[in-house]
Amino acid sequence: MEIRVVQPGRPAPEEDDEPTFPPFEGPAFLSYGFRPFFLCAALFASLAVPLWVTLYADASSPGFLFPPRDWHVHEMLFGFLPAVITGFLLTAVPNWTGRPPLRGLPLLSFLLLWLAGRLLVALAWPTPLVVALVDGTYLVVLAAYLWRELVVGGSLGQAPIAMLISLYAATNVLYHALALGARATDLAERMVLSLIMLLLTVIGGRLTPNFTREYLLQARVRALPPGFSRVDGLAIGLVVLAAAIWIAEPEGRTAGWALATAGAANLIRLGRWQGWRVWREPLVLVLHAGYGWLALSCLALGGALLGVGLAPAEAVHALTTGAVGTMTLAVMTRASLGHTGRSKQAGPLTVSIYVLVSMGALFRVFVPSAAVPTTLTHVVLGFAAFGWSGAYLLFVLGYGPFLLRPSLDE
């Protein structure tokens, strides 16, 4: 197993310590959760963002369940990202619990439920209530599966992640409930963005130092990043506090100062992981870049609420296009290489993916702000979509064959 989220302060387990399961007799595509969900998530991202940019430029409405802007928000936060999270969790849970992974027909059924949500939201058929029930069910099922596996496998040390997924599911239900009542969905949007901050802080805060330490040990570097300490606990706690204040007072200066403080604390946390020592391996360095985006997004959003720097919309995109885009591709590329029996090293294709997603995020964050979109706004958004979605399309083209075929070590 390659995806290994371990308890804070504990080293990542050795490969020989990981559970082994009987060979899967069905198609390779359904042998592990990362295969279908990473591939479908990347394909969706490569199509959805260019479609949104086109709709925004034409000021047209395609007849989706939600208006174009709300469709874009919902589908990226409750459609695309949960697919990546699912691929990660369905691959990590067997390592946490020692229980067999979800495979074959159950995995296919889960994938079809996710796909049904994407199609019904786009078609707005048969009724908004039915669409809400189908789409809302997906994350509820994921949370239930996660809790069952952790309880049966005696791995409740991972309960904080299960709690966050449960809140994620509840937030999607809230989003649909507000939309069905013709009410603004901004509360649900702030809630899901806050949950994303926390997920990246918790999961990114485990993967990044663990894989950094693993790389430095292999490189025979004696000075290793410190283990989990009070600094890490404080950084996580400040994100929790800032998120709670922002949800309650989205335009308050208190939220601004709390977010800025959380961002500064997580920059300090990031610095303790010694990312400069892994510059030779982009597969590890990109994790530091993704966590850096997370810290900077907290700083940017805090500054926006205090009237300094970026506008709030651009600050939010530092989190979504920057932190989410970089961190998801970092996890997807590493897991896809490791779990298909390939060398865990970033070749030219993988480096190109990282460059494209970073370019797309930078263009999106610094898009010219204007009450009425200008030609320059549309041009910059086009470059942002080209880079960001292009990274996921390149993942589909380059990694798709790996995900569809049996692992090299089988």
Side-chain angles (χ1 to χ4, degrees):
M1 293 286 294
E2 172 53 30
I3 292 179
R4 293 165 291 163
V5 180
V6 299
Q7 296 295 335
R10 297 183 185 177
E14 296 296 330
E15 295 289 338
D16 293 340
D17 296 333
E18 297 173 359
T20 57
F21 305 106
F24 179 63
E25 301 298 334
F29 184 64
L30 296 176
S31 63
Y32 246 113
F34 75 96
R35 291 177 178 269
F37 279 100
F38 283 177
L39 186 59
C40 288
L43 184 59
F44 184 77
S46 70
L47 298 173
V49 171
L51 175 58
W52 153 242
V53 171
T54 302
L55 294 174
Y56 181 71
D58 293 342
S60 59
S61 179
F64 292 163
L65 177 64
F66 305 119
R69 180 264 177 196
D70 295 346
W71 171 82
H72 170 64
V73 171
H74 182 273
E75 289 304 276
M76 298 313 294
L77 300 181
F78 293 108
F80 156 73
L81 185 55
V84 179
I85 292 172
T86 301
F88 169 80
L89 289 176
L90 293 186
T91 309
V93 164
N95 185 58
W96 298 345
T97 63
R99 288 173 50 78
L102 197 68
R103 290 175 163 177
L105 185 58
L107 178 57
L108 177 61
S109 300
F110 204 17
L111 178 67
L112 291 176
L113 179 60
W114 177 82
L115 287 171
R118 311 289 61 76
L119 290 173
L120 291 181
V121 168
L123 298 174
W125 177 88
T127 66
L129 178 59
V130 172
V131 175
L133 289 173
V134 173
D135 181 66
T137 297
Y138 177 77
L139 279 169
V140 172
V141 173
L142 176 62
Y145 167 80
L146 184 55
W147 279 113
R148 187 197 71 178
E149 292 299 297
L150 295 183
V151 170
V152 175
S155 301
L156 288 178
Q158 307 294 347
I161 295 178
M163 291 178 186
L164 290 175
I165 299 302
S166 300
L167 290 172
Y168 209 142
T171 303
N172 191 27
V173 173
L174 174 62
Y175 189 102
H176 280 287
L178 292 171
L180 286 170
R183 299 172 60 186
T185 57
D186 57 312
L187 173 61
E189 291 173 18
R190 290 196 307 279
M191 289 176 65
V192 71
L193 289 169
S194 298
L195 288 170
I196 290 169
M197 285 183 194
L198 290 172
L199 280 167
L200 292 178
T201 304
V202 173
I203 296 177
R206 294 184 186 183
L207 294 181
T208 306
N210 282 343
F211 288 135
T212 299
R213 194 174 295 112
E214 179 183 281
Y215 172 82
L216 293 177
L217 283 170
Q218 292 174 352
R220 301 184 183 278
V221 175
R222 294 184 178 180
L224 300 177
F228 192 90
S229 70
R230 293 179 180 178
V231 174
D232 301 275
L234 177 62
I236 296 171
L238 287 171
V239 171
V240 174
L241 178 62
I245 296 173
W246 183 45
I247 291 171
E249 299 181 10
E251 299 179 0
R253 294 182 65 84
T254 302
W257 284 113
L259 284 162
T261 303
N266 278 279
L267 276 180
I268 294 172
R269 186 189 191 197
L270 174 64
R272 298 174 74 242
W273 296 335
Q274 305 174 22
W276 60 88
R277 294 180 180 273
V278 299
W279 66 271
R280 293 181 182 275
E281 182 44 70
L283 210 63
V284 182
L285 182 62
V286 70
L287 289 166
H288 292 263
Y291 203 90
W293 270 111
L294 170 64
L296 291 174
S297 69
C298 291
L299 284 170
L301 186 54
L305 297 179
L306 296 171
V308 179
L310 298 172
E314 279 62 58
V316 166
H317 278 90
L319 172 65
T320 55
T321 62
V324 171
T326 306
M327 194 64 77
T328 54
L329 282 169
V331 171
M332 290 163 65
T333 50
R334 183 183 182 95
S336 298
L337 290 172
H339 283 288
T340 59
R342 290 168 172 82
S343 174
K344 290 176 286 186
Q345 293 181 329
L349 175 100
T350 304
V351 172
S352 298
I353 290 173
Y354 299 157
V355 171
L356 278 174
V357 76
S358 299
M359 182 192 79
L362 287 170
F363 272 112
R364 182 59 190 88
V365 168
F366 293 105
V367 66
S369 297
V372 178
T374 64
T375 300
L376 180 59
T377 300
H378 292 305
V379 169
V380 176
L381 282 176
F383 276 114
F386 171 80
W388 201 84
S389 290
Y392 287 95
L393 179 59
L394 196 57
F395 177 89
V396 170
L397 297 176
Y399 281 77
F402 303 167
L403 301 177
L404 293 170
R405 298 169 184 166
S407 299
L408 296 180
D409 53 5
E410 290 184 1

